[in-house]
Amino acid sequence: LNKILTIAKKNNIRIIGPNCLGTGSPVSGMNATFGGAMPLPGKVAFLTQSGALLCAIMDWSLQEKFGFSHVISIGSMADIDFGDCLDFLGQEPTCNAIVMYMESIGNPRKFLSAARRVALSKPIIVIKVGRTEAAAKAAASHTGTMTGSDAVLDAALKRCGVMRVDKIGDLFYLSDLLSTQPLPNGKKLTIITNAGGPGCLATESLSLGGGQLADISEETMSELNKFLPGVWSHNNPVDIIGDATPDLYAKTLEVCVKDPNSDGVLVICTPQAMTDMTRTADALRKYAHSDKPVIASWMGGRDAAAGMAILKQADIPNLPYPDEAVEVFNHMWKYKENLKELYQLPEAHGAGDDVDPANVAEATRMIETARQEGRRFLTEYDSKKLMALYGIPVTPMEFCTDPDAAAKAATDMGFPVVVKLASDTITHKADVGGVQLNIMNEDAVRKAYALIKGNVKPEDFLGVTVQPMLKLSGGYETIVGSNLDPQLGPVLLFGTGGSLVEIYKDSALGLPPLNEPLAMSLIQKTKIFEAFKGVRGLKPVDVKRVTDVLVKFSGLVLDQPFIAEVEINPLFVSSDHVIALDARVVLHPKETTLDMIPKSALRPYPRQFISQATLNDGIKITIRPTKFEDEPAVNAFLVQEAEDEALAIVFDRYFAVKQAQKVLRGRLVALCSGDYEKEIALLAETPDKKIAGVARLTRIFGQEAAEFAIFNGAQFLRKGLGRTFVHAIEKIAKAEGYTRLESRLLTHESAFANLLEKSGFTLKTSGTTYIASKNI
C-alpha cells in the first residue's frame, strides 16, 4: 500500500480506500461502486466508512424515493479522507447537504478545517460510533476523568458547525429537512394538530430536548378565533379538533407561520373518520417555502400514504411520529446556535488582551526547568505563579520550609490563614490531610506544619504554603481545566468545582483558542450559569471577569504545549471576586518532544504573519490576516471598488463573488474568518484603519502548492502595494511549507504581470489568462 501511495503522489493521483465500496454520483449517472443499483438523483451527499451500510442505504433510498447527489465510501482513508471529501463537496453545486457515517475522524485538524469552511454554506450531519472511552479512567486529575474523547469530539463538532445525531433515521430526516427548509431563528415551536394525544407527545419531546412551545400572540389568537370552532384549544398546541377540514388546516398554518413569537411550525394529522389526509396535504403545498421551517407528521399507514407522497413532492419533510418530528426541530435550532461559533476564531490570548512577552518567556523557562529536573508536577506555589504570569488573579502565598518561617509569614500576612502541603508528587492535598484551614495564631501554624508533615512520606514533603484565609461569601466554587485529547489536542473545561466536582458532574467542554463570546458560550452550557444570574438574595456574578480568566487560561494552554494537564479548582466567583484558590499543573516528561504532543485542533489567529511596510509615497501600511470582525469593512471596500468598471472584472475573477450592491455575505465571511489551515486572507490597512487592498492565499487541493490573488484599491495603484503583498505572501507560503506558488491573472493586467516576472515568477499564456508560477 505504501508503494502504491508513493507512486500515486509522484504522479498527482489520489487514492480512495482501501476497504471501500467505491463512489458514485446519481446526478451525473457515474457508478464506480460494486454495490447494487444507484439511488435516485437528489441534493444530499452521503459519506461513509462502512461499505455495507452504504449498500443498505442505497437499497432503502430506492424504496423511500430519497435521492442523493453523491455516495462515497472511503474505507480506511489511506489517502483521501473526510477532509478531502468535504472540500470537494463544498464546491459541488448539486450538493445542498452532507451526511456522514464516521468510525474514526482521520486527520482532525484537516477535517475540522474543511468542516468549518463548508458548514458556512451547507449543513453537515454526522453519526459517529464509539461513545465509550476507557482511557478516561486512567486520567490523573479531575479534568482528565471528566474529559472522554467522545465528549471532546462533540465539542469540536459543535465549534465547527457540524450537527451530530445518534440515530440513522435522524441522519436522513435532518438532511432532507435542512436541504428544503430554512433554519429556525430560535427554539419556539407552534404545534397544529387534530388530536390531543399526539400534541401532548410532541410537547413533552420538545421540552425534554430543550425547545419551547411558542406563546400565541394576541394578534394570532384573534385571527384564529375568527374561523376555528369555539372548542379549539385556545392554546399551543393548536388543537383544531378531529373534524378539521383541509381548508381549516391551511388557514391555521397560514396564520401561525406569521406569528412573530414562533420559530417554526409542526403540523400533525391523524387518520380520523372525517379527516381527508390526502387533500389536507395538498392544501399545505403552498406553505412549503415559508421563512420558517414547516414540518409535517402524517400519522398512520394506508390512509396517510398518499398525503405523505404529496408532502415529499412539495418539499415539506414528513416524519411518521410527532415526537420524532420535534426531535428534528430541536436539532435544527441547536445547529443554528452552533453556527454562531463558526464566525469566532480568536487570537491565542483573545482580542485586546496583550500578555507581556516577558511573562510568557518566564513561564516557559519555569516549565522547562521543572522538566529538566525530572519533575512532572509543579507545586501549588509554582502553579499559581504561572497563573499570575498570565494575569489570572490568585491568592497571595508564601512558601516555607520550617515551622518558624511559616509562623512569621502568617503573622506578616494577618490571621486567620490557611496552611497547605507543598509537594511536587501529591496533587490532591486535601485527600492526605494536607490542608489546614482557619489557623488563628503562630502556635497553631507550627502545629499545622507538623501535622501536615506527619501525614505524608518524607519524599513527598517540600514544605508548606501559607495563605490568607479569605472571607469569601456569596459566591460559587468553579473549575477551569485543560488536558490533552490524543487526536484533538488541548481541551478546555469549565463547570461547578470544589471537592465534589465529580459528584455534581456539571461541566462543559470547549477548544482553544477562546475569545469573550466563546468563553461566554462555554459558561452558558453549564447549570451553574443559572446561579450566576443571582439566586436566593445573592448578587449576580461578574461574568465578564470569569470570561477574562477563561480567555487568559486558553492562552496559557496554547503557549505552553509541555503542560499535559492544568487545573484551577476552585476558581471562586462572586459579584466582587474572581480568584484562583488552588491550582495544579502536570507536565510532560522531559523525554517528550514537541512533535510527540497533539496539536491544537483549531489554529489560532496567526499573529506571526502581521508585517509593516512603507509605500512609494511614504504611506505606512500594515498587512495582516483578516478576522471575522473585518467583514463589514472589507465588504464596504469591495463594494466601493467593484463600482469601478476597470476593476470589476478583476474583482469577480479573484474573489469568486458576484458584483452587487452587497457582496454575498457567506463567501465574504469565509474569506474574512478563514481557519488559516487552507486559506489565509490578508488586508492592507493605513494607520487610520482604511483598507488599501486585500489578498488571499489558498492551498491547491492535493498539492504542496498554493494559489494567490491580490486586489488593490484604486487609490493605491502603482504605489508599491502589489509588490509588498507579493513579498508578504511568499514569506507566509514558505512558513506554511508550500513548495510552489501560482497566480492567475488576465492578459490585460500587464503591470501586475511585469511585477511577478521581476519577482521571479514564470508566466505562461492560456487564452485570455496568464498563469504565473514560482518554486519557493
Side-chain angles (χ1 to χ4, degrees):
L1 178 60
N2 288 336
K3 190 173 181 180
I4 292 173
L5 292 173
T6 301
I7 295 171
K9 185 175 182 179
K10 185 177 180 181
N11 292 278
N12 287 327
I13 299 172
R14 301 303 304 274
I15 303 293
I16 192 166
N19 304 320
C20 71
L21 191 73
T23 180
S25 173
V27 173
S28 66
M30 186 271 284
N31 185 356
T33 74
F34 55 88
M38 268 283 102
L40 298 171
K43 304 173 184 177
V44 178
F46 181 38
L47 290 175
T48 174
Q49 284 183 284
S50 168
L53 182 61
L54 178 56
C55 285
I57 293 299
M58 289 197 301
D59 188 53
W60 165 85
S61 71
L62 292 171
Q63 176 182 311
E64 296 295 320
K65 294 182 172 53
F66 189 100
F68 290 99
S69 62
H70 303 78
V71 288
I72 304 174
S73 166
I74 58 176
S76 302
M77 301 188 295
D79 178 22
I80 291 176
D81 59 14
F82 282 127
D84 295 317
C85 292
L86 288 178
D87 275 334
F88 165 71
L89 293 171
Q91 301 176 55
E92 277 292 290
T94 58
C95 169
N96 288 358
I98 302 166
V99 297
M100 302 171 59
Y101 169 79
M102 178 186 289
E103 293 174 356
S104 61
I105 194 171
N107 182 323
R109 182 175 271 194
K110 184 178 177 183
F111 168 72
L112 295 175
S113 165
R116 188 171 179 274
R117 287 191 302 275
V118 175
L120 284 163
S121 57
K122 301 179 183 183
I124 303 171
I125 310 163
V126 170
I127 184 168
K128 184 184 181 299
V129 295
R131 284 194 173 272
T132 60
E133 184 52 61
K137 297 178 181 178
S141 72
H142 292 309
T143 305
T145 60
M146 299 168 68
T147 311
S149 64
D150 193 74
V152 176
L153 178 64
D154 261 345
L157 293 177
K158 289 175 183 176
R159 178 76 176 266
C160 294
V162 175
M163 187 188 311
R164 185 178 184 183
V165 297
D166 297 324
K167 297 182 289 188
I168 287 287
D170 286 347
L171 201 66
F172 294 102
Y173 290 143
L174 274 165
S175 64
D176 188 26
L177 201 153
L178 291 171
S179 64
T180 58
Q181 294 290 314
L183 288 171
N185 289 323
K187 60 176 72 174
K188 296 178 180 178
L189 180 67
T190 300
I191 300 171
I192 301 171
T193 179
N194 68 340
C200 292
L201 285 172
T203 300
E204 185 166 56
S205 181
L206 178 70
S207 179
L208 289 173
Q212 297 174 3
L213 285 175
D215 292 327
I216 299 176
S217 68
E218 291 183 9
E219 295 80 4
T220 298
M221 186 72 75
S222 176
E223 284 297 313
L224 293 174
N225 282 332
K226 290 178 181 178
F227 59 84
L228 287 179
V231 292
W232 80 278
S233 61
H234 292 84
N235 207 339
N236 188 10
V238 181
D239 186 347
I240 57 179
I241 71 173
D243 63 352
T245 64
D247 286 343
L248 203 64
Y249 259 105
K251 287 181 181 178
T252 304
L253 176 56
E254 181 179 5
V255 171
C256 288
V257 83
K258 294 177 182 177
D259 191 325
N261 292 344
S262 178
D263 299 310
V265 181
L266 167 62
V267 184
I268 303 171
C269 189
T270 63
Q272 301 188 39
M274 293 173 285
T275 303
D276 189 332
M277 300 183 77
T278 304
R279 286 185 55 224
T280 299
D282 193 59
L284 303 188
R285 293 168 65 99
K286 59 184 176 182
Y287 304 107
H289 301 291
S290 303
D291 59 355
K292 299 174 184 177
V294 175
I295 310 170
S297 180
W298 255 230
M299 300 179 68
R302 181 189 60 190
D303 291 347
M308 291 177 183
I310 291 171
L311 292 168
K312 184 172 184 61
Q313 188 180 29
D315 282 345
I316 297 179
N318 176 74
L319 288 93
Y321 302 108
D323 53 342
E324 291 182 343
V326 165
E327 285 180 12
V328 169
F329 175 77
N330 280 334
H331 278 303
M332 289 180 74
W333 65 259
K334 290 174 183 177
Y335 173 61
K336 179 69 175 286
E337 289 193 349
N338 291 343
L339 287 178
K340 296 174 184 177
E341 295 193 2
L342 271 178
Y343 304 130
Q344 304 288 341
L345 200 71
E347 302 178 35
H349 300 291
D353 179 29
D354 296 323
V355 176
D356 189 338
N359 286 4
V360 176
E362 184 177 350
T364 303
R365 284 194 300 271
M366 181 191 306
I367 290 169
E368 188 55 30
T369 298
R371 291 179 68 241
Q372 292 307 314
E373 293 173 354
R375 289 190 281 144
R376 290 292 313 281
F377 299 95
L378 294 185
T379 64
E380 181 188 359
Y381 181 83
D382 285 342
S383 296
K384 283 187 175 178
K385 182 178 180 182
L386 191 64
M387 301 301 146
L389 288 171
Y390 277 82
I392 297 172
V394 299
T395 50
M397 60 192 305
E398 292 290 337
F399 172 60
C400 305
T401 57
D402 66 72
D404 291 334
K408 182 178 186 306
T411 300
D412 294 342
M413 201 172 285
F415 293 100
V417 297
V418 179
V419 180
K420 293 185 181 181
L421 168 69
S423 174
D424 56 10
T425 56
I426 294 174
T427 59
H428 297 297
K429 297 176 286 294
D431 293 348
V432 296
V435 179
Q436 299 298 313
L437 304 173
N438 207 32
I439 307 300
M440 301 302 296
N441 55 58
E442 289 190 359
D443 286 342
V445 171
R446 294 185 180 94
K447 289 179 182 178
Y449 185 101
L451 179 62
I452 291 172
K453 185 175 182 179
N455 284 340
V456 299
K457 297 177 182 178
E459 59 267 27
D460 295 327
F461 183 81
L462 298 178
V464 300
T465 60
V466 179
Q467 308 173 37
M469 184 79 185
L470 298 179
K471 296 178 182 179
L472 301 174
S473 61
Y476 309 92
E477 291 185 336
T478 65
I479 181 173
V480 179
S482 174
N483 72 355
L484 281 177
D485 182 85
Q487 281 194 311
L488 297 169
V491 184
L492 304 175
L493 177 144
F494 177 82
T496 302
S499 58
L500 299 179
V501 60
E502 280 127 339
I503 304 299
Y504 292 131
K505 293 183 178 178
D506 171 33
S507 62
L509 301 177
L511 298 181
L514 296 181
N515 59 9
E516 187 175 332
L518 289 171
M520 177 59 78
S521 175
L522 186 63
I523 295 169
Q524 289 173 338
K525 292 171 184 173
T526 62
K527 295 177 183 177
I528 200 171
F529 173 69
E530 291 301 315
F532 286 0
K533 299 175 183 178
V535 293
R536 296 189 176 182
L538 295 180
K539 295 180 181 178
V541 167
D542 187 348
V543 182
K544 172 65 169 63
R545 293 168 68 181
V546 183
T547 60
D548 286 345
V549 168
L550 284 172
V551 171
K552 291 169 180 174
F553 187 86
S554 165
L556 164 65
V557 168
L558 289 177
D559 282 345
Q560 308 298 339
F562 288 109
I563 292 178
E565 298 174 26
V566 55
E567 183 181 283
I568 302 173
N569 185 26
L571 175 75
F572 182 83
V573 302
S574 68
S575 60
D576 302 317
H577 297 93
V578 174
I579 189 166
L581 302 183
D582 202 351
R584 57 185 299 273
V585 176
V586 182
L587 305 177
H588 287 289
K590 64 178 179 181
E591 298 81 15
T592 302
T593 56
L594 198 58
D595 60 346
M596 297 166 64
I597 301 172
K599 291 183 179 178
S600 172
L602 298 177
R603 188 173 176 180
Y605 180 78
R607 291 186 60 85
Q608 67 273 25
F609 295 151
I610 299 175
S611 61
Q612 280 76 36
T614 302
L615 301 183
N616 297 342
D617 58 0
I619 294 178
K620 297 185 182 299
I621 60 162
T622 297
I623 292 181
R624 62 172 177 82
T626 57
K627 305 177 183 178
F628 169 66
E629 50 263 37
D630 292 320
E631 185 264 332
V634 174
N635 183 28
F637 166 76
L638 292 178
V639 169
Q640 177 183 340
E641 297 297 332
E643 291 174 355
D644 186 321
E645 291 185 8
L647 295 176
I649 297 175
V650 180
F651 168 81
D652 287 344
R653 172 69 186 83
Y654 280 0
F655 292 95
V657 286
K658 296 207 170 181
Q659 187 178 335
Q661 285 189 338
K662 184 176 181 181
V663 177
L664 185 65
R665 187 170 188 265
R667 174 61 180 147
L668 197 54
V669 166
L671 282 171
C672 289
S673 61
D675 60 2
Y676 315 114
E677 189 66 16
K678 182 183 177 182
E679 183 172 63
I680 297 177
L682 303 169
L683 63 79
E685 62 184 2
T686 60
D688 60 355
K689 303 301 180 182
K690 180 178 181 180
I691 296 179
V694 289
R696 61 184 174 89
L697 178 70
T698 307
R699 183 188 299 272
I700 297 175
F701 182 74
Q703 301 181 38
E704 294 177 349
E707 183 176 6
F708 70 93
I710 298 171
F711 183 80
N712 293 333
Q715 297 180 27
F716 293 89
L717 297 176
R718 293 175 290 278
K719 294 185 177 182
L721 181 56
R723 181 181 65 252
T724 303
F725 261 135
V726 170
H727 290 165
I729 286 169
E730 281 199 46
K731 287 182 180 179
I732 294 172
K734 289 178 181 177
E736 293 294 283
Y738 297 129
T739 59
R740 190 177 78 259
L741 275 175
E742 291 184 5
S743 185
R744 297 172 184 268
L745 55 156
L746 302 174
T747 51
H748 72 259
E749 297 177 79
S750 55
F752 189 50
N754 290 336
L755 167 63
L756 292 180
E757 281 190 309
K758 290 179 181 178
S759 300
F761 285 80
T762 301
L763 269 64
K764 293 182 180 180
T765 305
S766 176
T768 60
T769 305
Y770 285 129
I771 300 176
S773 63
K774 179 181 180 180
N775 293 326
I776 56 175

